[in-house]
Amino acid sequence: MPNVPILFHDIDGVLFGHYAGEFQLRPGVKSWLAWAHEHFELIWLTSWESERIHSLLRVLCCDKFGDNLESPPFHHANWTNYENKVVWVQQAVQKLNGREWFWIDDEIEKFSLEIESAGIPLGRCIQSNPTGRDELLSIQSTLNHCLANRNMNESDNERAA
């Protein structure tokens, strides 16, 4: 999937959120995951362990309960040896050789000074609202806008060439 952008994806505060008085899985998460995997290469940027991510995805992405529960392929960022996620993202972005990327997390605002100091463009960092049932739709709309701008820029570059 090298032609699609990378999406650094947190779990708590993104797939799970506070609504109806509880911290719980957001409605529409299965549709969100299908859309995200279609448009991005996901790299899970979370403190969750790989096996827990695999189990969550396996349950969320299966159509029927059965013996052979499949989950989409995933990559897990091991950032726990870094000071914080910002340091990990800074180093990861330097290795992308200009490849398009975005980061969704419920702590973008908390780390905004560190993000700016690290030279990470805040426009690529999408703050998830940790409350509300429709947050995944809001994030999808924001990312669709980013993808549309990307496609317009690619078309402009092709016409100029």
Side-chain angles (χ1 to χ4, degrees):
M1 295 177 81
N3 293 335
V4 298
I6 290 175
L7 181 59
F8 301 119
H9 196 307
D10 186 32
I11 293 180
D12 293 325
V14 179
L15 296 183
F16 290 83
H18 293 279
Y19 66 94
E22 302 287 337
F23 186 72
Q24 57 185 311
L25 199 59
R26 293 185 196 270
V29 70
K30 185 175 179 178
S31 300
W32 161 257
L33 288 171
W35 179 86
H37 277 96
E38 180 181 336
H39 292 88
F40 297 94
E41 178 181 341
L42 269 64
I43 297 178
W44 294 99
L45 187 57
T46 178
S47 59
W48 284 41
E49 296 171 356
S50 288
E51 185 53 41
R52 289 181 65 205
I53 299 168
H54 179 70
S55 295
L56 176 68
L57 293 176
R58 191 173 62 231
V59 170
L60 292 175
C61 294
C62 73
D63 285 326
K64 297 179 184 176
F65 290 101
D67 294 334
N68 188 16
L69 300 177
E70 294 290 326
S71 66
F74 73 91
H75 304 282
H76 181 219
N78 184 5
W79 66 272
T80 55
N81 292 331
Y82 292 79
E83 181 181 344
N84 57 41
K85 290 181 185 180
V86 176
V87 176
W88 187 91
V89 168
Q90 178 189 34
Q91 291 183 14
V93 166
Q94 292 172 358
K95 297 174 188 174
L96 294 179
N97 296 321
R99 186 168 170 196
E100 195 94 32
W101 63 272
F102 299 95
W103 174 20
I104 56 174
D105 201 299
D106 63 320
E107 295 187 320
I108 297 295
E109 290 174 358
K110 174 183 171 185
F111 288 114
S112 63
L113 292 176
E114 288 95 332
I115 290 169
E116 288 185 80
S117 294
I120 298 171
L122 272 172
R124 296 192 172 278
C125 305
I126 299 163
Q127 170 72 39
S128 171
N129 182 347
T131 63
R133 59 178 286 125
D134 296 324
E135 185 60 14
L136 292 175
L137 292 174
S138 176
I139 293 170
Q140 184 174 343
S141 176
T142 300
L143 286 169
N144 269 328
H145 180 74
C146 293
L147 291 173
N149 286 342
R150 173 183 178 250
N151 291 337
M152 284 190 336
N153 290 340
E154 285 177 0
S155 295
D156 290 345
N157 290 341
E158 288 173 6
R159 279 187 291 238

